[in-house]
Amino acid sequence: MTNEKQNMAGLSTAQARQLQNKYGKNELTPQKKESFIQKAFHIICEPMFLLLIVAAIIYFFLGEPRDGAIMLVFVIGMISIDVIQEWKTDKTLNALKDLSAPHIKVIRDGEEQTIASADLVPGDLMLIYEGVKIPADGVVIKCNDLCVDESSLTGEAEGVWKVNTDAAPEYTDYWRKDYCYAGTLVMQGTAYVQIDKIGASTEYGKIGANIATAPEEKTPLQKQTGSLVKTCAGIAAVLFALVGVFTYLNIPDHIFKDRIIESILSGVTLAMAMIPEEFPVILTVFLSMGAWRLAKKNSLVRKLPCVETLGAVSVLCVDKTGTITMNQMTVQDTWATNGDEKSLVTVMGMGCETDAYDPMEKAMLAYCEKNGISHDELFGGELITEYPFTNELKMMGHIWRKDGKIIIAAKGSPERILTICAMSDAEKTEFEKKINELSSNGLRVIAVATATPQTDKDIPAKITDCSLTLLGLVGLADPPRESVKADIAVCNKAGIRVVMITGDNGVTAASIAKKIGMKNYDHIITGDILNNMTDDELREKVKEVSIFSRVVPEHKMRIVKAFKDNGEIVAMTGDGVNDAPALKYADIGIAMGKRGSEVSREAADLILLDDNFTTIVETVKDGRRIYNNIRKAIGYVFTIHIPIAFASLLAPILGIAPVALFLLPLHVVLLELIIDPTCSIVLERQPAERDIMERAPRNPKEKMLTPGIFIKSVLQGLVLFAASFGAYYTTLAGNEANAPVARAMGLAIIMISNLLLVQVNSSECDFAFRSVARLAKDIVMWAVNIGTIAGLIVIFYTPVAGLLKLAPLSATQLLSAAGIAAVSVLWYELVKLFKKLFGKKNGGTK
Ligand code: ADP
Ligand code: MG
């Protein structure tokens, strides 16, 4: 760096901006942006638009430039809808990406700030601590016990201890000890690092550039719809040929050129009606809007496919502390072995960190304060050394020199403290009785022990080598979050197993589990039992057991695997660095936004911003809603295309003259202009069905388009076809001159039905008037409904009617169109009634 005298004030915002202009963003591969023209071009290349353009050209060819021009106006309308939609989803997805992108603490303008890692510039002073994944290369300015896992770069599994740059000896190794590298992981300690290289110039960038550009994979649903679209397109191609030939044979009185053109035109109309170009749009819009709605409810989706997986979750593995409980501890009860409360509480306090971070230690220090033991009394001496806490040991200790005396203050899980305490069998029995008493009240029980070695030499090197005197037990309460009980009840109804994972003792866990209404709360697997089980045994066991106690993060992987091997779809929470592999392996890995480490966040599919169990349940519910709406939308697209496709198919067979056809390409496009917003606006915002959390999780193997939905859509579509085409056909009465009004009749029926169809299909169990009532306050719904009616008025009763080859309907005609439309859609309400009266409650999707 140019700046020799390192300044701890960091950069100013202005400097940072300048540097960013010079060096760019801290990204491995710069994001490419599609220009507007490119986007429009991509859309035009879709088969639907190619067909439209062919149709427009044919019109110009036919010497009907007016028709051709109207077509083009429509095409532009459709392209605009698509471009706007894409722009909106892009914006949504980018906003989500920014929210869930890695962040880092830096010193800017002299104060600590959190910025996106991508905004780091050379010269920035960043702050790193345990769990941070280092985002750029830089010099260690000041560090405290900094240990970094550099295996991603060097392959060395052993952590590297870093040193301050002033203290660094002349290094000969390529990998410097006073330098931090992007892509490596802070295992311990803290440091200030001055950024030196960013983005592709980092060591990681040099080797990792090609890893980072892995293309985004298609979601399972996208793959499914892809093949659905292909099937439909195949059928469309065959019918295109058939209809073309039919039309050709039908009009022997026309000249050859006209025959050809008319056949192509009717074929094109049919193909347009049949290509389900809405399907891919539905998916991206529904998934991205879904993710956006989730983000507003504190749950950040990092990977889009997880929105669809969410609805299939059948097992929810959650950490007890902080997710199920509030992580607000208080010392509730103490028990001193020899009645000496004061020593117990003092040693407990001395065993805590001087500036405690852990909620449990905070509670302990608060308790000391309450009992008149001051901070000075606890930490006034000299801290000689400490035995650090590890998940495996589940205990820790501090060794103080105070008033010339050496004091070991140890605390931890009673089972473990027991192993380093000397006591008689009778004492042990009493001790165990007390532990049980406290933990069966749902308290976390911590044992406190001490020793006073004579000299420094007598201090054991490891906590496990100590021989201590037990002082007593402390019971801490960490009450369950208020809403958890209700949430568990929801999960039970929804067929979702809740599994509690905790480092705490089994009795405590069981007591909490019972309080919150978990099933099978008295079946427990402890970490020790788990260690002695084979994977097969575990797989059998997890069919009943829902509580895992005294586990370490490494066990989580096995637990997820056991559930997955049983065919479950598993969501799992985790916050620590060691949780990352299990989070990756789970179908839905959930990281904690508040207390989670950066590494766990990066491994997760979902980040929970409020660390709250309720939010997980809400998210699953939303996942179900979104999936359900996608299904409804796909069904809707089928239904609404049937009258259009059949009309194009049947006309030549019935020998209707080309000028008198029900739907000319123009009208197909007009309908497409209505269908698109119906899907992406109206169906997307359908609220969850009332009983959505009373159904079993969906079978992940089940296809999106089940036979049930398919049959329903086809039936609804056929009725709609019969109504609209029948009305058209009878109004036409074989006379070409009646065509405009006959067409208007048919179109009015389809458009009005379209409005009603959405309400009817809004719920599988509730009647349409209920759906209407639910949406009565939704402005967007009103806008769409009023828009459709306004559209009807414009195309029938203004000069536009002439351009579109339509004629105004009389009041009677309009009313009968509305009546026919209502009957042709609302008949399905009778099916619902029938199902309600006679159907068995099977909770299926249809
Ligand atoms: P959880 O999964 O409930 O968050 P932890 O892994 O944090 O549990 O803790 C597991 C056990 O380790 C606790 O029940 C306690 O016995 C012990 N423990 C945790 N933190 C400390 C600490 N700061 N000092 C002593 N013992 C601790
Ligand atoms: Mg914990």
Side-chain angles (χ1 to χ4, degrees), residues 251-279:
I251 41 173
D253 48 332
H254 291 50
I255 58 163
F256 177 71
K257 189 186 122 198
D258 281 1
R259 284 176 87 178
I260 290 287
I261 285 181
E262 290 297 348
S263 348
I264 295 179
L265 215 48
S266 52
V268 164
T269 317
L270 180 76
M272 278 190 332
M274 283 209 55
I275 292 184
E277 97 287 355
E278 291 92 348
F279 285 170

PDB file of all heavy atoms in Angstrom, residues 251-279:
ATOM      1  N   ILE A 251     -61.903 -24.687 -49.297  1.00  0.00           N
ATOM      2  CA  ILE A 251     -62.247 -23.518 -50.106  1.00  0.00           C
ATOM      3  C   ILE A 251     -61.777 -23.718 -51.549  1.00  0.00           C
ATOM      4  O   ILE A 251     -60.949 -22.968 -52.073  1.00  0.00           O
ATOM      5  CB  ILE A 251     -61.642 -22.227 -49.506  1.00  0.00           C
ATOM      6  CG1 ILE A 251     -60.205 -22.473 -48.996  1.00  0.00           C
ATOM      7  CG2 ILE A 251     -62.507 -21.663 -48.415  1.00  0.00           C
ATOM      8  CD1 ILE A 251     -59.497 -21.209 -48.553  1.00  0.00           C
ATOM      9  N   PRO A 252     -62.356 -24.710 -52.229  1.00  0.00           N
ATOM     10  CA  PRO A 252     -61.938 -24.990 -53.605  1.00  0.00           C
ATOM     11  C   PRO A 252     -62.309 -23.856 -54.560  1.00  0.00           C
ATOM     12  O   PRO A 252     -61.708 -23.729 -55.631  1.00  0.00           O
ATOM     13  CB  PRO A 252     -62.697 -26.277 -53.951  1.00  0.00           C
ATOM     14  CG  PRO A 252     -63.797 -26.391 -52.981  1.00  0.00           C
ATOM     15  CD  PRO A 252     -63.450 -25.579 -51.790  1.00  0.00           C
ATOM     16  N   ASP A 253     -63.269 -22.997 -54.134  1.00  0.00           N
ATOM     17  CA  ASP A 253     -63.694 -21.932 -55.038  1.00  0.00           C
ATOM     18  C   ASP A 253     -62.716 -20.760 -55.069  1.00  0.00           C
ATOM     19  O   ASP A 253     -62.787 -19.921 -55.947  1.00  0.00           O
ATOM     20  CB  ASP A 253     -65.097 -21.444 -54.622  1.00  0.00           C
ATOM     21  CG  ASP A 253     -65.179 -21.177 -53.137  1.00  0.00           C
ATOM     22  OD1 ASP A 253     -64.418 -21.826 -52.369  1.00  0.00           O
ATOM     23  OD2 ASP A 253     -65.996 -20.325 -52.720  1.00  0.00           O
ATOM     24  N   HIS A 254     -61.783 -20.670 -54.086  1.00  0.00           N
ATOM     25  CA  HIS A 254     -60.808 -19.575 -54.080  1.00  0.00           C
ATOM     26  C   HIS A 254     -59.671 -19.881 -55.035  1.00  0.00           C
ATOM     27  O   HIS A 254     -59.459 -21.035 -55.403  1.00  0.00           O
ATOM     28  CB  HIS A 254     -60.226 -19.376 -52.676  1.00  0.00           C
ATOM     29  CG  HIS A 254     -61.212 -18.830 -51.690  1.00  0.00           C
ATOM     30  ND1 HIS A 254     -62.462 -19.363 -51.511  1.00  0.00           N
ATOM     31  CD2 HIS A 254     -61.118 -17.784 -50.819  1.00  0.00           C
ATOM     32  CE1 HIS A 254     -63.097 -18.687 -50.578  1.00  0.00           C
ATOM     33  NE2 HIS A 254     -62.309 -17.717 -50.145  1.00  0.00           N
ATOM     34  N   ILE A 255     -58.916 -18.813 -55.410  1.00  0.00           N
ATOM     35  CA  ILE A 255     -57.757 -19.068 -56.268  1.00  0.00           C
ATOM     36  C   ILE A 255     -56.638 -19.691 -55.423  1.00  0.00           C
ATOM     37  O   ILE A 255     -56.630 -19.573 -54.190  1.00  0.00           O
ATOM     38  CB  ILE A 255     -57.244 -17.780 -56.961  1.00  0.00           C
ATOM     39  CG1 ILE A 255     -56.872 -16.726 -55.912  1.00  0.00           C
ATOM     40  CG2 ILE A 255     -58.245 -17.270 -57.976  1.00  0.00           C
ATOM     41  CD1 ILE A 255     -56.002 -15.634 -56.489  1.00  0.00           C
ATOM     42  N   PHE A 256     -55.694 -20.288 -56.102  1.00  0.00           N
ATOM     43  CA  PHE A 256     -54.654 -21.060 -55.434  1.00  0.00           C
ATOM     44  C   PHE A 256     -53.926 -20.250 -54.349  1.00  0.00           C
ATOM     45  O   PHE A 256     -53.773 -20.696 -53.217  1.00  0.00           O
ATOM     46  CB  PHE A 256     -53.658 -21.577 -56.467  1.00  0.00           C
ATOM     47  CG  PHE A 256     -52.512 -22.326 -55.840  1.00  0.00           C
ATOM     48  CD1 PHE A 256     -52.708 -23.587 -55.272  1.00  0.00           C
ATOM     49  CD2 PHE A 256     -51.236 -21.767 -55.800  1.00  0.00           C
ATOM     50  CE1 PHE A 256     -51.658 -24.264 -54.692  1.00  0.00           C
ATOM     51  CE2 PHE A 256     -50.185 -22.439 -55.204  1.00  0.00           C
ATOM     52  CZ  PHE A 256     -50.395 -23.695 -54.665  1.00  0.00           C
ATOM     53  N   LYS A 257     -53.526 -19.005 -54.732  1.00  0.00           N
ATOM     54  CA  LYS A 257     -52.769 -18.186 -53.787  1.00  0.00           C
ATOM     55  C   LYS A 257     -53.583 -17.952 -52.499  1.00  0.00           C
ATOM     56  O   LYS A 257     -53.081 -18.081 -51.384  1.00  0.00           O
ATOM     57  CB  LYS A 257     -52.413 -16.847 -54.440  1.00  0.00           C
ATOM     58  CG  LYS A 257     -51.439 -15.997 -53.622  1.00  0.00           C
ATOM     59  CD  LYS A 257     -51.240 -14.637 -54.234  1.00  0.00           C
ATOM     60  CE  LYS A 257     -51.623 -13.555 -53.242  1.00  0.00           C
ATOM     61  NZ  LYS A 257     -51.857 -12.253 -53.824  1.00  0.00           N
ATOM     62  N   ASP A 258     -54.845 -17.631 -52.682  1.00  0.00           N
ATOM     63  CA  ASP A 258     -55.705 -17.383 -51.517  1.00  0.00           C
ATOM     64  C   ASP A 258     -55.851 -18.645 -50.671  1.00  0.00           C
ATOM     65  O   ASP A 258     -55.855 -18.578 -49.429  1.00  0.00           O
ATOM     66  CB  ASP A 258     -57.096 -16.925 -51.970  1.00  0.00           C
ATOM     67  CG  ASP A 258     -57.065 -15.457 -52.352  1.00  0.00           C
ATOM     68  OD1 ASP A 258     -55.965 -14.873 -52.260  1.00  0.00           O
ATOM     69  OD2 ASP A 258     -58.123 -14.927 -52.740  1.00  0.00           O
ATOM     70  N   ARG A 259     -55.963 -19.760 -51.361  1.00  0.00           N
ATOM     71  CA  ARG A 259     -56.130 -21.017 -50.615  1.00  0.00           C
ATOM     72  C   ARG A 259     -54.927 -21.259 -49.715  1.00  0.00           C
ATOM     73  O   ARG A 259     -55.056 -21.612 -48.543  1.00  0.00           O
ATOM     74  CB  ARG A 259     -56.304 -22.199 -51.585  1.00  0.00           C
ATOM     75  CG  ARG A 259     -57.685 -22.255 -52.197  1.00  0.00           C
ATOM     76  CD  ARG A 259     -57.766 -23.358 -53.211  1.00  0.00           C
ATOM     77  NE  ARG A 259     -58.128 -24.639 -52.619  1.00  0.00           N
ATOM     78  CZ  ARG A 259     -58.286 -25.741 -53.348  1.00  0.00           C
ATOM     79  NH1 ARG A 259     -58.087 -25.734 -54.661  1.00  0.00           N
ATOM     80  NH2 ARG A 259     -58.625 -26.879 -52.761  1.00  0.00           N
ATOM     81  N   ILE A 260     -53.760 -21.048 -50.326  1.00  0.00           N
ATOM     82  CA  ILE A 260     -52.536 -21.253 -49.531  1.00  0.00           C
ATOM     83  C   ILE A 260     -52.508 -20.300 -48.336  1.00  0.00           C
ATOM     84  O   ILE A 260     -52.294 -20.697 -47.190  1.00  0.00           O
ATOM     85  CB  ILE A 260     -51.279 -21.008 -50.405  1.00  0.00           C
ATOM     86  CG1 ILE A 260     -51.133 -22.116 -51.438  1.00  0.00           C
ATOM     87  CG2 ILE A 260     -50.018 -20.896 -49.543  1.00  0.00           C
ATOM     88  CD1 ILE A 260     -50.679 -23.441 -50.867  1.00  0.00           C
ATOM     89  N   ILE A 261     -52.752 -19.020 -48.618  1.00  0.00           N
ATOM     90  CA  ILE A 261     -52.645 -18.025 -47.551  1.00  0.00           C
ATOM     91  C   ILE A 261     -53.655 -18.300 -46.439  1.00  0.00           C
ATOM     92  O   ILE A 261     -53.320 -18.277 -45.251  1.00  0.00           O
ATOM     93  CB  ILE A 261     -52.819 -16.604 -48.127  1.00  0.00           C
ATOM     94  CG1 ILE A 261     -51.536 -16.240 -48.861  1.00  0.00           C
ATOM     95  CG2 ILE A 261     -53.123 -15.596 -47.021  1.00  0.00           C
ATOM     96  CD1 ILE A 261     -51.516 -14.878 -49.463  1.00  0.00           C
ATOM     97  N   GLU A 262     -54.879 -18.586 -46.829  1.00  0.00           N
ATOM     98  CA  GLU A 262     -55.894 -18.871 -45.812  1.00  0.00           C
ATOM     99  C   GLU A 262     -55.518 -20.097 -44.974  1.00  0.00           C
ATOM    100  O   GLU A 262     -55.733 -20.126 -43.760  1.00  0.00           O
ATOM    101  CB  GLU A 262     -57.275 -19.089 -46.445  1.00  0.00           C
ATOM    102  CG  GLU A 262     -57.905 -17.839 -47.034  1.00  0.00           C
ATOM    103  CD  GLU A 262     -58.199 -16.764 -45.992  1.00  0.00           C
ATOM    104  OE1 GLU A 262     -58.128 -17.047 -44.793  1.00  0.00           O
ATOM    105  OE2 GLU A 262     -58.473 -15.612 -46.404  1.00  0.00           O
ATOM    106  N   SER A 263     -54.948 -21.113 -45.632  1.00  0.00           N
ATOM    107  CA  SER A 263     -54.575 -22.305 -44.846  1.00  0.00           C
ATOM    108  C   SER A 263     -53.475 -21.972 -43.858  1.00  0.00           C
ATOM    109  O   SER A 263     -53.523 -22.395 -42.702  1.00  0.00           O
ATOM    110  CB  SER A 263     -54.100 -23.471 -45.714  1.00  0.00           C
ATOM    111  OG  SER A 263     -54.370 -23.278 -47.040  1.00  0.00           O
ATOM    112  N   ILE A 264     -52.496 -21.221 -44.329  1.00  0.00           N
ATOM    113  CA  ILE A 264     -51.410 -20.863 -43.393  1.00  0.00           C
ATOM    114  C   ILE A 264     -51.984 -20.064 -42.229  1.00  0.00           C
ATOM    115  O   ILE A 264     -51.694 -20.322 -41.057  1.00  0.00           O
ATOM    116  CB  ILE A 264     -50.313 -20.035 -44.099  1.00  0.00           C
ATOM    117  CG1 ILE A 264     -49.632 -20.883 -45.173  1.00  0.00           C
ATOM    118  CG2 ILE A 264     -49.272 -19.545 -43.086  1.00  0.00           C
ATOM    119  CD1 ILE A 264     -48.546 -20.157 -45.937  1.00  0.00           C
ATOM    120  N   LEU A 265     -52.851 -19.117 -42.571  1.00  0.00           N
ATOM    121  CA  LEU A 265     -53.395 -18.241 -41.550  1.00  0.00           C
ATOM    122  C   LEU A 265     -54.183 -19.026 -40.499  1.00  0.00           C
ATOM    123  O   LEU A 265     -54.031 -18.804 -39.293  1.00  0.00           O
ATOM    124  CB  LEU A 265     -54.308 -17.208 -42.217  1.00  0.00           C
ATOM    125  CG  LEU A 265     -54.327 -15.821 -41.610  1.00  0.00           C
ATOM    126  CD1 LEU A 265     -52.931 -15.293 -41.376  1.00  0.00           C
ATOM    127  CD2 LEU A 265     -55.106 -14.879 -42.507  1.00  0.00           C
ATOM    128  N   SER A 266     -54.996 -19.967 -40.935  1.00  0.00           N
ATOM    129  CA  SER A 266     -55.774 -20.699 -39.927  1.00  0.00           C
ATOM    130  C   SER A 266     -54.856 -21.612 -39.125  1.00  0.00           C
ATOM    131  O   SER A 266     -55.061 -21.813 -37.925  1.00  0.00           O
ATOM    132  CB  SER A 266     -56.937 -21.468 -40.551  1.00  0.00           C
ATOM    133  OG  SER A 266     -56.472 -22.272 -41.599  1.00  0.00           O
ATOM    134  N   GLY A 267     -53.835 -22.139 -39.781  1.00  0.00           N
ATOM    135  CA  GLY A 267     -52.846 -22.945 -39.054  1.00  0.00           C
ATOM    136  C   GLY A 267     -52.138 -22.103 -38.011  1.00  0.00           C
ATOM    137  O   GLY A 267     -51.970 -22.519 -36.855  1.00  0.00           O
ATOM    138  N   VAL A 268     -51.740 -20.900 -38.403  1.00  0.00           N
ATOM    139  CA  VAL A 268     -51.026 -20.007 -37.484  1.00  0.00           C
ATOM    140  C   VAL A 268     -51.919 -19.657 -36.290  1.00  0.00           C
ATOM    141  O   VAL A 268     -51.475 -19.659 -35.139  1.00  0.00           O
ATOM    142  CB  VAL A 268     -50.580 -18.728 -38.226  1.00  0.00           C
ATOM    143  CG1 VAL A 268     -50.187 -17.639 -37.238  1.00  0.00           C
ATOM    144  CG2 VAL A 268     -49.428 -19.036 -39.152  1.00  0.00           C
ATOM    145  N   THR A 269     -53.191 -19.383 -36.568  1.00  0.00           N
ATOM    146  CA  THR A 269     -54.111 -19.050 -35.475  1.00  0.00           C
ATOM    147  C   THR A 269     -54.138 -20.178 -34.459  1.00  0.00           C
ATOM    148  O   THR A 269     -54.039 -19.958 -33.246  1.00  0.00           O
ATOM    149  CB  THR A 269     -55.544 -18.850 -36.015  1.00  0.00           C
ATOM    150  OG1 THR A 269     -55.471 -18.093 -37.207  1.00  0.00           O
ATOM    151  CG2 THR A 269     -56.398 -18.156 -34.988  1.00  0.00           C
ATOM    152  N   LEU A 270     -54.250 -21.385 -34.978  1.00  0.00           N
ATOM    153  CA  LEU A 270     -54.324 -22.527 -34.077  1.00  0.00           C
ATOM    154  C   LEU A 270     -53.037 -22.678 -33.273  1.00  0.00           C
ATOM    155  O   LEU A 270     -53.056 -22.852 -32.056  1.00  0.00           O
ATOM    156  CB  LEU A 270     -54.586 -23.808 -34.866  1.00  0.00           C
ATOM    157  CG  LEU A 270     -54.656 -25.020 -33.955  1.00  0.00           C
ATOM    158  CD1 LEU A 270     -55.977 -25.051 -33.232  1.00  0.00           C
ATOM    159  CD2 LEU A 270     -54.430 -26.301 -34.709  1.00  0.00           C
ATOM    160  N   ALA A 271     -51.915 -22.566 -33.982  1.00  0.00           N
ATOM    161  CA  ALA A 271     -50.633 -22.737 -33.295  1.00  0.00           C
ATOM    162  C   ALA A 271     -50.483 -21.687 -32.199  1.00  0.00           C
ATOM    163  O   ALA A 271     -50.038 -21.986 -31.093  1.00  0.00           O
ATOM    164  CB  ALA A 271     -49.494 -22.643 -34.295  1.00  0.00           C
ATOM    165  N   MET A 272     -50.906 -20.451 -32.512  1.00  0.00           N
ATOM    166  CA  MET A 272     -50.813 -19.390 -31.495  1.00  0.00           C
ATOM    167  C   MET A 272     -51.661 -19.732 -30.287  1.00  0.00           C
ATOM    168  O   MET A 272     -51.282 -19.484 -29.147  1.00  0.00           O
ATOM    169  CB  MET A 272     -51.279 -18.059 -32.085  1.00  0.00           C
ATOM    170  CG  MET A 272     -50.208 -17.382 -32.869  1.00  0.00           C
ATOM    171  SD  MET A 272     -50.566 -15.703 -33.371  1.00  0.00           S
ATOM    172  CE  MET A 272     -52.266 -15.595 -33.494  1.00  0.00           C
ATOM    173  N   ALA A 273     -52.824 -20.288 -30.570  1.00  0.00           N
ATOM    174  CA  ALA A 273     -53.725 -20.613 -29.477  1.00  0.00           C
ATOM    175  C   ALA A 273     -53.173 -21.749 -28.634  1.00  0.00           C
ATOM    176  O   ALA A 273     -53.521 -21.904 -27.479  1.00  0.00           O
ATOM    177  CB  ALA A 273     -55.093 -20.979 -30.027  1.00  0.00           C
ATOM    178  N   MET A 274     -52.311 -22.554 -29.240  1.00  0.00           N
ATOM    179  CA  MET A 274     -51.883 -23.766 -28.529  1.00  0.00           C
ATOM    180  C   MET A 274     -50.537 -23.674 -27.855  1.00  0.00           C
ATOM    181  O   MET A 274     -50.218 -24.483 -27.002  1.00  0.00           O
ATOM    182  CB  MET A 274     -51.875 -24.938 -29.503  1.00  0.00           C
ATOM    183  CG  MET A 274     -53.265 -25.435 -29.774  1.00  0.00           C
ATOM    184  SD  MET A 274     -53.243 -27.172 -30.167  1.00  0.00           S
ATOM    185  CE  MET A 274     -52.421 -27.887 -28.801  1.00  0.00           C
ATOM    186  N   ILE A 275     -49.725 -22.717 -28.265  1.00  0.00           N
ATOM    187  CA  ILE A 275     -48.395 -22.669 -27.641  1.00  0.00           C
ATOM    188  C   ILE A 275     -48.524 -22.081 -26.250  1.00  0.00           C
ATOM    189  O   ILE A 275     -48.952 -20.952 -26.076  1.00  0.00           O
ATOM    190  CB  ILE A 275     -47.432 -21.827 -28.490  1.00  0.00           C
ATOM    191  CG1 ILE A 275     -47.166 -22.582 -29.800  1.00  0.00           C
ATOM    192  CG2 ILE A 275     -46.134 -21.596 -27.741  1.00  0.00           C
ATOM    193  CD1 ILE A 275     -46.175 -21.903 -30.680  1.00  0.00           C
ATOM    194  N   PRO A 276     -48.180 -22.857 -25.228  1.00  0.00           N
ATOM    195  CA  PRO A 276     -48.348 -22.339 -23.862  1.00  0.00           C
ATOM    196  C   PRO A 276     -47.152 -21.483 -23.484  1.00  0.00           C
ATOM    197  O   PRO A 276     -46.385 -21.828 -22.609  1.00  0.00           O
ATOM    198  CB  PRO A 276     -48.416 -23.614 -23.025  1.00  0.00           C
ATOM    199  CG  PRO A 276     -47.661 -24.619 -23.825  1.00  0.00           C
ATOM    200  CD  PRO A 276     -47.606 -24.199 -25.252  1.00  0.00           C
ATOM    201  N   GLU A 277     -47.003 -20.364 -24.160  1.00  0.00           N
ATOM    202  CA  GLU A 277     -45.815 -19.542 -23.907  1.00  0.00           C
ATOM    203  C   GLU A 277     -45.899 -18.900 -22.532  1.00  0.00           C
ATOM    204  O   GLU A 277     -44.933 -18.357 -22.037  1.00  0.00           O
ATOM    205  CB  GLU A 277     -45.602 -18.543 -25.039  1.00  0.00           C
ATOM    206  CG  GLU A 277     -46.130 -17.142 -24.837  1.00  0.00           C
ATOM    207  CD  GLU A 277     -47.650 -17.070 -24.932  1.00  0.00           C
ATOM    208  OE1 GLU A 277     -48.277 -18.105 -25.246  1.00  0.00           O
ATOM    209  OE2 GLU A 277     -48.196 -16.001 -24.676  1.00  0.00           O
ATOM    210  N   GLU A 278     -47.062 -19.036 -21.880  1.00  0.00           N
ATOM    211  CA  GLU A 278     -47.196 -18.459 -20.533  1.00  0.00           C
ATOM    212  C   GLU A 278     -46.449 -19.278 -19.481  1.00  0.00           C
ATOM    213  O   GLU A 278     -46.064 -18.742 -18.462  1.00  0.00           O
ATOM    214  CB  GLU A 278     -48.668 -18.407 -20.108  1.00  0.00           C
ATOM    215  CG  GLU A 278     -49.515 -17.417 -20.858  1.00  0.00           C
ATOM    216  CD  GLU A 278     -50.180 -18.045 -22.067  1.00  0.00           C
ATOM    217  OE1 GLU A 278     -49.797 -19.186 -22.432  1.00  0.00           O
ATOM    218  OE2 GLU A 278     -51.048 -17.401 -22.653  1.00  0.00           O
ATOM    219  N   PHE A 279     -46.285 -20.560 -19.728  1.00  0.00           N
ATOM    220  CA  PHE A 279     -45.735 -21.427 -18.674  1.00  0.00           C
ATOM    221  C   PHE A 279     -44.414 -20.934 -18.088  1.00  0.00           C
ATOM    222  O   PHE A 279     -44.296 -20.763 -16.870  1.00  0.00           O
ATOM    223  CB  PHE A 279     -45.589 -22.865 -19.175  1.00  0.00           C
ATOM    224  CG  PHE A 279     -46.898 -23.601 -19.275  1.00  0.00           C
ATOM    225  CD1 PHE A 279     -46.978 -24.827 -19.906  1.00  0.00           C
ATOM    226  CD2 PHE A 279     -48.064 -23.068 -18.747  1.00  0.00           C
ATOM    227  CE1 PHE A 279     -48.186 -25.509 -19.999  1.00  0.00           C
ATOM    228  CE2 PHE A 279     -49.278 -23.726 -18.844  1.00  0.00           C
ATOM    229  CZ  PHE A 279     -49.332 -24.951 -19.478  1.00  0.00           C
TER     230      PHE A 279
END
